[in-house]
Amino acid sequence: MYWAKTRSRARFNLATSGVGSFPLAELPCQPELEINGDSAYGYAPLQQAIARKCGVDADCVVTEMGTTMGNHLTMAALLEPGDDVLIEHPAYELLVSAALYFGAEVKRFARAEENGYALDPEAIRRVLTNKTKLIVVTNLHNPSSALAPDAVLGEVGDLARSVGAHALVDEVYLDAVYENTPPTSYRLGPEFIVTNSLTKVYGLSGLRCGWILAQPDLARAMWRLNDLFGVIPAHSAELLSVAALEQLDLIRRRARGVVEADRALLGEFLAQQSAVSAPRTAWGTTAFLRLHDGDVEELLARLRTDYETTAVPGRFFDMPDHFRIGMGVNTDMFREGLRRLGLALAGQPLV
Ligand SMILES: Cc1ncc(COP(=O)(O)O)c(C=O)c1O
């Protein structure tokens, strides 16, 4: 995250993970803002709007500062030092750091590149023990954007239930499946906990509108625990979040064209390149590329200095032969960033 905040920016930024920012001026029906409101344990209109979006009861919804905080609160509520937490590999680094912060024993299970990073319940079964408290996955998968179908997630839930554990599914990228968007996996069983926000697919990161879906008793425990961290959210952000949730389809549509144009360009790029490869998906805002020959750190350093272009090093995913690139911000920038990446891969000067 430190790298993302301090080192990822460049003229041609392929190091993004979500869509471009949605400007306040384009939000129809702007709410009348107020500073203070009735948001002790959830601002009711926001609770209801999220519950409606997810098709769940409002008492399953814990609103908080974003998916990252949702993941943190989930672990804070469930983990004791020494508990086993099973986390996919490759994974969003903060998931691993958060589990370690709570003193958990982190065990990794592979999502194999040769299978398009598909979620594999067998790989989970191999590291499952009676000490397992939590199985952690992202859907869509960060960094590859692989989508796990319900049947597979159901098997993950069965594995969790068999040892009295929970399955945490971070769905912050799920709505980037634009056609037949899958409903939340929360509905698959009581062992599921889901985290999400308006950050990645809607370009509304600044609202810090995140939520957790959990069984009501666990949700209540999380509300109480959140008193330690946040106490009361910014009410003006809650009002804006309610307004945004009323216009979600419009907000999502704004970025869809950019994401899809970028994905088409990436497809052409990968078809022409033998130096890199990546499993293709028809959705998502990130792709995880393998560099077949050479050193990723050296490539990305040269890409930054000589070509003003950035991408995320695979070392942040414990896969140093890879790098992640992001779609959905600006297609002209993406096209030129890919062209420069191609030149860097070929060792050709910038023309
Ligand atoms: C898997 C995953 N979860 C959560 C986040 C952060 O989401 P939020 O802004 O809602 O905290 C990221 C950001 O990169 C992510 O990749």
Side-chain angles (χ1 to χ4, degrees):
M1 187 50 69
Y2 181 73
W3 184 92
K5 286 181 173 179
T6 60
R7 301 287 294 149
S8 68
R9 282 189 203 156
R11 187 162 164 221
F12 302 96
N13 186 351
L14 303 182
T16 56
S17 56
V19 304
S21 297
F22 186 90
L24 177 59
E26 287 187 30
L27 185 66
C29 311
Q30 305 225 350
E32 205 165 297
L33 289 184
E34 191 41 87
I35 292 173
N36 297 303
D38 187 5
S39 34
Y41 290 106
Y43 176 53
L46 183 57
Q47 290 288 115
Q48 281 149 15
I50 293 170
R52 258 194 314 278
K53 169 184 168 13
C54 301
V56 302
D57 293 335
D59 60 354
C60 306
V61 177
V62 180
T63 53
E64 36 66 22
M65 288 272 291
T67 316
T68 311
M69 182 52 118
N71 294 334
H72 176 95
L73 267 180
T74 300
M75 292 189 193
L78 294 178
L79 299 182
E80 298 290 339
D83 287 342
D84 278 3
V85 176
L86 316 188
I87 304 181
E88 63 191 10
H89 176 271
Y92 176 50
E93 195 270 334
L94 289 189
L95 291 168
V96 179
S97 305
L100 292 173
Y101 175 74
F102 288 110
E105 294 283 328
V106 173
K107 297 186 172 166
R108 308 299 295 273
F109 58 88
R111 297 182 67 143
E113 181 178 4
E114 56 276 22
N115 293 335
Y117 297 100
L119 188 57
D120 175 12
E122 262 321 300
I124 298 175
R125 193 189 305 276
R126 285 197 285 275
V127 283
L128 190 78
T129 69
N130 285 334
K131 274 174 60 195
T132 303
K133 280 286 160 44
L134 196 60
I135 301 171
V136 183
V137 301
T138 51
N139 194 37
L140 303 178
H141 179 222
N142 179 6
S144 71
S145 291
L147 172 67
D150 272 2
V152 171
L153 287 166
E155 284 185 59
V156 175
D158 292 344
L159 286 171
R161 194 176 336 112
S162 73
V163 294
H166 284 87
L168 168 61
V169 187
D170 175 328
E171 294 184 347
V172 77
Y173 295 100
L174 188 60
D175 286 0
V177 181
Y178 291 108
E179 292 295 324
N180 302 315
T181 309
T184 173
S185 53
Y186 179 69
R187 74 198 194 293
L188 296 177
E191 56 282 348
F192 281 88
I193 299 169
V194 163
T195 52
N196 204 341
S197 78
L198 298 182
T199 293
K200 298 292 166 189
V201 183
Y202 298 93
L204 296 169
S205 172
L207 291 180
R208 305 318 300 148
C209 176
W211 61 90
I212 307 167
L213 306 181
Q215 292 295 298
D217 51 346
L218 185 54
R220 274 191 294 277
M222 289 173 173
W223 277 116
R224 295 295 300 275
L225 203 49
N226 200 25
D227 283 341
L228 286 178
F229 306 120
V231 186
I232 293 284
H235 186 57
S236 48
E238 290 181 317
L239 292 169
L240 284 165
S241 300
V242 172
L245 280 153
E246 279 163 12
Q247 304 290 336
L248 269 195
D249 286 346
L250 178 149
I251 295 170
R252 187 167 77 142
R253 228 177 296 129
R254 184 179 185 275
R256 176 178 178 170
V258 184
V259 174
E260 291 182 343
D262 289 1
R263 181 174 302 105
L265 289 169
L266 178 64
E268 289 166 20
F269 176 83
L270 290 172
Q272 289 160 7
Q273 277 290 340
S274 54
V276 291
S277 61
R280 313 289 179 86
T281 63
W283 43 70
T285 54
T286 62
F288 203 39
L289 277 61
R290 170 188 282 275
L291 178 67
H292 291 292
D293 205 9
D295 182 85
V296 167
E297 295 293 328
E298 183 278 324
L299 169 71
L300 296 189
R302 211 158 34 81
L303 190 62
R304 169 194 287 283
T305 338
D306 300 350
Y307 302 87
E308 296 177 279
T309 304
T310 49
V312 180
R315 72 184 143 97
F316 294 123
F317 300 91
D318 294 323
M319 293 188 71
D321 296 339
H322 292 67
F323 58 99
R324 192 190 72 188
I325 65 176
M327 296 163 268
V329 177
N330 176 317
T331 298
D332 290 337
M333 178 188 80
F334 188 78
R335 183 186 294 106
E336 181 60 16
L338 280 187
R339 189 182 77 82
R340 288 171 180 233
L341 173 59
L343 291 174
L345 286 167
Q348 290 169 2
L350 188 58
V351 280

